[in-house]
Amino acid sequence: MGDTKKTYYITTPIYYPSAKLHIGHTYCTSVADTIARFKRLAGYDVRFLTGSDEHGQKIQRAAEAQGITPLEYTTNIVNGFKALWEKMHISNDDFIRTTDERHETVVQALFTKAYEKGDIYKAEYEGWYCTPDETFWTEQKLGPNHTCPDCGRPVERVKEESYFFKLGKYTDQWLKFIEENPDFIQPESRRNEMIQFVKQGLEDLAVSRTSFDWGIKVPFDPKHVVYVWFDALVNYISALSPFDGDGELYKKYWPADLHLVGKEIVRFHTIIWPMMLMSLELPLPKKVFGHGWMIVDGTKMSKSLGNVIDPIPLIDTYGADSLRYYLLSEITLGNDGNFTLPNFVTKINADLSNDLGNLLNRTIAMIEKYHGGVITKCDDMDDLDRDVSILAVQTAKDFEAAMENMELNKAIKTVWSFIGRMNKYIDETMPWVLAKSEDAHDKVRLQSAMYHLAEALRIIAILVSPVIPVGAPKIWEQLGLTGFEVATLEDAKTWGLLATGTKVVKGEPIYPRFEVPEMVDV
Ligand code: ME8
């Protein structure tokens, strides 16, 4: 019998190894990881891809400046990418490098296919090139003083023989597709921008370069290398090895369910990539979501601007969960966000250490003190118990709905408001008073309160696991449970799965408190 689970294929951009990654990239990859983990929890067969975009003029120049080969240069930096993702507990299933042979063969095959179809032709390119963005611009589109209209940096004059891709040819097919698939480009504002861009008229796109050689050779004309964006976009398919054997991975996972990208590259993913796929007669991805930027002093944090915050020391000091939690809960997906150290530490102290950490510590300590660490199921609910048990299941459902809707911070807020409710439940039930009573009714109330707290924490552990994958299993373990890897979203939507006799295991506080630093640069 084959695997009948629904599939979910999610990707991040493949980042340029032109410098170390900063918290902007960390943000994007953490969002994708949280969605991937959520989908696994919801029962999907998930494929989560990230990688590195290693060709192009910018990389070649950076390598030359260091006197090493481009591949040596990118390999060093890519090893750093992989180490960062491991430190952040990123659960990618694959990492594609555009220097992988498996990628190069697919790019060459697809370039040739578009050429043979007549959608790629040779001519002379004369215009402007933004090397940091690896983007062509016509004179009319330039910013003041020959600058890139996207990033504002100076462009370079380029005049060389080039292959061109007939983008314009697919305008009508694209407009029809966008109309029939209103959710393809998210958020909505990006969709309108893209429609305007296409309606202004598209010029054919130069898809090869001859003035440098760090790239994938055009197979039928090897003095040309494939334009780095044509090369890079293909990664989403090449990573599925479409030409290996019977292309099993490709058949299983393509088309992608979600390309998560920054807003500055939505144009490449929603216009150029779909038009390439139309030419190649391949299915289009289901959704492209353009997230916002991490901002420093009002400008985009950027490798080439040098105004970056390095995630590594933050993870080393505060832990991966803290950084993930802050980025995911503070920023509304699609909007820009800020990072300051005092805000970050204040937030993780309040939400992780106080709200969640204390709920766990208090609960485990009371079950130990009052019941020798043993949880006993109690069906005798009073109104307060019934309220929180209903709220627990509702929280799981609301969490699911918000996640499905890409409202990650709303999903998190839902869980934290339930955590707040359970902390209040402790104050309302006053277990320390019940524990002193000899009254049989009070003994039942105490048993019920302990059960409701433990059961709420079981549900919370599952719900927070896509966001804080380091702490979530520790909650589970302290509750005395095993098999966290196979817990499902269904388990979080079901009240009462904790069995009588489960014995809690007191552990270290899962999130320590940190001193809030002064407002200084990190
Ligand atoms: O564009 N805030 O790579 P890149 C939030 N290789 N996210 C940010 C960010 C910021 N300040 N800065 C970067 C490329 N990012 C191409 C992609 S895909 C086929 C090729 C994130 O290294 C964001 O997701 O410049 C952005 O789209 C991506 O990094 C760009 O990374």
Side-chain angles (χ1 to χ4, degrees):
M1 285 295 287
D3 193 346
T4 53
K5 273 188 179 179
K6 282 174 292 176
T7 59
Y8 189 82
Y9 181 31
I10 177 170
T11 66
T12 72
I14 49 171
Y15 306 112
Y16 291 125
S18 51
K20 284 198 306 187
L21 298 182
H22 56 67
I23 61 164
H25 308 99
T26 310
Y27 168 65
C28 177
T29 307
S30 302
V31 170
D33 185 61
T34 298
I35 296 171
R37 286 174 182 273
F38 165 74
K39 288 287 179 181
R40 289 190 197 109
L41 209 54
Y44 286 79
D45 174 342
V46 172
R47 185 125 190 125
F48 171 22
L49 176 72
T50 189
S52 51
D53 183 2
E54 306 189 21
H55 294 125
Q57 193 159 1
K58 180 172 54 175
I59 302 275
Q60 179 159 354
R61 284 184 185 160
E64 276 162 6
Q66 288 193 8
I68 52 178
T69 67
L71 188 61
E72 282 167 343
Y73 176 85
T74 57
T75 301
N76 277 336
I77 298 182
V78 167
N79 286 339
F81 287 13
K82 290 180 176 171
L84 171 61
W85 300 147
E86 215 164 285
K87 252 181 178 320
M88 277 301 277
H89 293 260
I90 300 301
S91 63
N92 54 303
D93 299 289
D94 193 3
F95 187 104
I96 181 107
R97 299 182 59 174
T98 55
T99 48
D100 288 346
E101 201 189 321
R102 59 174 174 156
H103 174 73
E104 299 196 355
T105 50
V106 177
V107 170
Q108 290 187 324
L110 297 187
F111 195 95
T112 306
K113 189 173 167 195
Y115 177 73
E116 284 170 352
K117 190 174 174 185
D119 282 348
I120 288 180
Y121 63 92
K122 190 149 85 171
E124 173 96 345
Y125 177 78
E126 186 163 6
W128 299 92
Y129 197 69
C130 172
T131 304
D133 284 353
E134 303 280 12
T135 309
F136 293 99
W137 292 108
T138 54
E139 183 89 38
Q140 301 86 292
K141 289 235 165 74
L142 291 184
N145 302 320
H146 293 110
T147 51
C148 168
D150 264 359
C151 71
R153 289 170 288 202
V155 290
E156 295 176 55
R157 185 80 187 154
V158 175
K159 186 173 181 212
E160 58 192 62
E161 178 187 283
S162 179
Y163 283 92
F164 283 83
F165 174 64
K166 293 180 182 169
L167 263 193
K169 175 175 167 188
Y170 291 98
T171 301
D172 291 344
Q173 196 178 332
W174 185 89
L175 286 167
K176 185 161 175 285
F177 174 80
I178 295 297
E179 199 172 306
E180 287 168 358
N181 297 275
D183 294 337
F184 174 66
I185 307 175
Q186 296 280 321
E188 180 90 20
S189 53
R190 300 267 98 80
R191 176 171 182 266
N192 299 334
E193 259 172 49
M194 293 305 117
I195 293 172
Q196 285 318 311
F197 193 91
V198 169
K199 283 191 171 161
Q200 278 167 16
L202 296 172
E203 286 162 44
D204 290 352
L205 177 71
V207 286
S208 77
R209 303 288 311 270
T210 54
S211 55
F212 63 94
D213 60 5
W214 178 235
I216 298 174
K217 287 191 179 358
V218 171
F220 47 85
D221 193 351
K223 83 170 191 283
H224 288 255
V225 293
V226 176
Y227 170 46
V228 65
W229 270 101
F230 190 108
D231 164 352
L233 288 162
V234 170
N235 90 86
Y236 302 126
I237 282 183
S238 67
L240 300 176
S241 307
F243 306 131
D244 269 15
D246 61 359
E248 201 186 316
L249 272 182
Y250 172 82
K251 280 191 203 146
K252 188 167 179 190
Y253 293 108
W254 191 260
D257 293 273
L258 177 64
H259 292 321
L260 181 71
V261 300
K263 61 184 175 183
E264 81 290 358
I265 57 172
V266 166
R267 191 164 54 88
F268 294 92
H269 285 80
T270 60
I271 300 175
I272 297 179
W273 180 224
M275 290 183 176
M276 282 166 64
L277 291 167
M278 284 171 182
S279 164
L280 296 163
E281 294 164 39
L282 296 173
L284 269 51
K286 293 184 198 146
K287 195 185 291 255
V288 176
F289 195 106
H291 68 76
W293 292 334
M294 300 295 302
I295 299 288
V296 189
D297 298 332
T299 32
K300 181 185 174 220
M301 189 181 301
S302 145
K303 287 186 286 234
S304 48
L305 295 177
N307 58 347
V308 302
I309 297 175
D310 183 352
I312 302 277
L314 291 174
I315 305 167
D316 286 343
T317 307
Y318 302 101
D321 275 6
S322 298
L323 186 55
R324 293 172 65 109
Y325 180 78
Y326 180 82
L327 295 174
L328 293 161
S329 65
E330 274 290 287
I331 304 167
T332 301
L333 196 60
N335 293 356
D336 292 344
N338 281 291
F339 182 95
T340 69
L341 200 53
N343 281 351
F344 165 63
V345 179
T346 305
K347 176 91 178 155
I348 59 168
N349 277 347
D351 294 7
L352 296 181
S353 181
N354 278 6
D355 293 350
L356 178 57
N358 282 347
L359 179 63
L360 179 66
N361 295 345
R362 292 166 88 191
T363 300
I364 302 293
M366 289 190 294
I367 296 173
E368 288 217 311
K369 187 164 169 201
Y370 305 141
H371 296 138
V374 179
I375 298 168
T376 305
K377 196 162 178 176
C378 185
D379 294 326
D380 185 1
M381 294 191 189
D382 68 4
D383 285 349
L384 198 55
D385 296 347
R386 198 164 293 110
D387 282 356
V388 296
S389 67
I390 291 169
L391 183 62
V393 173
Q394 192 56 46
T395 299
K397 289 181 182 164
D398 292 349
F399 174 83
E400 180 181 24
M403 286 297 295
E404 289 291 355
N405 218 12
M406 308 281 290
E407 297 172 303
L408 276 66
N409 58 346
K410 187 172 162 197
I412 294 171
K413 212 171 255 159
T414 305
V415 181
W416 255 261
S417 108
F418 178 58
I419 292 170
R421 179 70 194 89
M422 291 314 292
N423 274 315
K424 192 157 158 246
Y425 173 85
I426 300 181
D427 301 337
E428 288 167 346
T429 50
M430 293 193 282
W432 49 92
V433 175
L434 296 173
K436 284 195 191 122
S437 166
E438 291 302 322
D439 186 296
H441 176 259
D442 286 344
K443 287 192 193 306
V444 174
R445 295 272 46 84
L446 181 63
Q447 202 174 63
S448 183
M450 293 304 109
Y451 187 78
H452 279 73
L453 285 164
E455 180 60 356
L457 276 162
R458 182 190 64 82
I459 289 172
I460 289 165
I462 297 174
L463 297 182
V464 299
S465 65
V467 183
I468 45 173
V470 183
K474 293 184 184 165
I475 302 173
W476 198 259
E477 283 157 24
Q478 293 202 19
L479 289 171
L481 296 169
T482 54
F484 190 59
E485 334 61 72
V486 293
T488 65
L489 192 59
E490 263 330 288
D491 296 342
K493 288 196 266 180
T494 315
W495 181 264
L497 295 183
L498 250 182
T500 291
T502 310
K503 191 156 187 334
V504 301
V505 184
K506 195 167 169 47
E508 292 291 301
I510 53 174
Y511 296 109
R513 264 192 86 77
F514 293 97
E515 199 173 317
V516 180
E518 298 286 309
M519 182 70 189
V520 286
D521 290 338
V522 282

